[in-house]
Amino acid sequence: MADAERGYFLRTVERRGGGPQLRIRQRSAGDVGCVVWDAALVLSKYLETSSFYRDSLHVFSGKNVVELGSGTGVVGLMASALGANVIVTDLEELQDLLNINIKDNMHLVTGSIQAKVLKWGETVKDLPSEPDYILVADCIYYEQSLEPLLRTMKDLSGNKTCIILCYEERTMGNNPKIESRFFELLQTDFEIEEIPLDRQDEEYRSEDIHVLHIKRKRHH
Ligand SMILES: C[S@@+](CC[C@H](N)C(=O)[O-])C[C@H]1O[C@@H](n2cnc3c(N)ncnc32)[C@H](O)[C@@H]1O
């Protein structure tokens, strides 16, 4: 049966320097996690761009990476194609889609990748403690999730963990309030560095999509 008949549609992501594309299946019916969001593309290409340059601090080979709210898994898959050992996480209902996309892209993985259930705010089990990187794309979008998401970021991260968070600034409805509340809460425990556009992928970048490096504040 064709993909479209089974309710899937494909999103391909080009690789820098040629090479086989990532092939990400999206589901036409389902919640927000079933499609690749623009912030996920910007973050994936940022990871690829920053590891492409030799003088970059962000080389992912052999690094432990946990992604939160992975959706289709595109960001984690890109990190694993760059050599990282990745755990992509999301709610129970996204696990099938994550596993399909892992299977379809396994030939690109040079590190490792697996999917696990992780609901924000719940006790973190079976995940590497204090991973090198935590990746988060387009996860600031509803009020009730802000504190649980921050709790998970805090529970998982150590002093050396770099959280790379990418979000699309939205001006509609409640979005500005939700974003500013998130950053207000975030600043209690974390330091934030915004990555300028000229350090992002030349093509996959946008004025309204922000890439941030977030680290735990050292309390004296
Ligand atoms: C807007 S989607 C972004 C998906 C993907 N990161 C991307 O950018 O394409 C938000 C994701 O967060 C997940 N999510 C929402 N609430 C969550 C929660 N309480 N615990 C874990 N994941 C959650 C959703 O299932 C969804 O996959």
Side-chain angles (χ1 to χ4, degrees), residues 33 35-37 40 69-71 90-91 94 118-120 137-138 141-142:
V35 295
V36 173
W37 290 82
S70 302
D90 208 301
L91 301 172
L94 270 304
L118 175 63
K119 186 169 180 194
W120 304 330
D138 209 347
Y141 65 105
Y142 68 108

Side-chain angles (χ1 to χ4, degrees), residues 39 138 140 166-172 175-176 179-180 183 194 206-211:
D138 209 347
I140 312 167
C166 185
Y167 76 100
E168 181 170 349
E169 205 180 319
R170 296 188 170 99
T171 51
M172 300 282 283
N175 285 311
E179 279 161 25
S180 62
F183 288 107
E194 172 139 17
S206 165
E207 291 284 351
D208 57 357
I209 298 182
H210 303 273
V211 178

Side-chain angles (χ1 to χ4, degrees), residues 84-217:
N85 299 315
V86 181
I87 301 188
V88 285
T89 70
D90 208 301
L91 301 172
E92 182 69 51
E93 54 265 36
L94 270 304
Q95 299 297 308
D96 283 355
L97 188 61
L98 282 171
N99 282 311
I100 287 171
N101 283 326
I102 289 174
K103 194 162 156 264
D104 284 355
N105 291 280
M106 212 56 203
H107 56 291
L108 302 177
V109 174
T110 56
S112 63
I113 184 162
Q114 55 178 309
K116 290 195 172 166
V117 177
L118 175 63
K119 186 169 180 194
W120 304 330
E122 294 194 347
T123 315
V124 170
K125 289 183 295 215
D126 305 330
L127 290 176
S129 66
E130 309 193 0
D132 299 296
Y133 294 97
I134 297 174
L135 306 176
V136 193
D138 209 347
C139 286
I140 312 167
Y141 65 105
Y142 68 108
E143 182 101 48
Q144 307 89 293
S145 71
L146 302 181
E147 289 185 30
L149 174 60
L150 281 160
R151 200 168 321 130
T152 295
M153 286 166 55
K154 214 175 148 190
D155 286 353
L156 258 179
S157 58
N159 286 334
K160 294 203 176 119
T161 305
C162 179
I163 301 172
I164 311 184
L165 180 143
C166 185
Y167 76 100
E168 181 170 349
E169 205 180 319
R170 296 188 170 99
T171 51
M172 300 282 283
N174 246 354
N175 285 311
K177 212 179 101 212
I178 290 169
E179 279 161 25
S180 62
R181 178 75 182 136
F182 178 80
F183 288 107
E184 186 187 313
L185 293 168
L186 182 71
Q187 277 165 20
T188 318
D189 295 299
F190 293 96
E191 283 167 4
I192 305 164
E193 178 199 357
E194 172 139 17
I195 305 302
L197 285 177
D198 64 7
R199 278 175 57 200
Q200 300 179 33
D201 186 85
E202 302 87 334
E203 193 182 338
Y204 291 85
R205 65 182 174 196
S206 165
E207 291 284 351
D208 57 357
I209 298 182
H210 303 273
V211 178
L212 309 175
H213 284 196
I214 299 168
K215 291 208 163 156
R216 283 181 82 120
K217 273 186 184 164

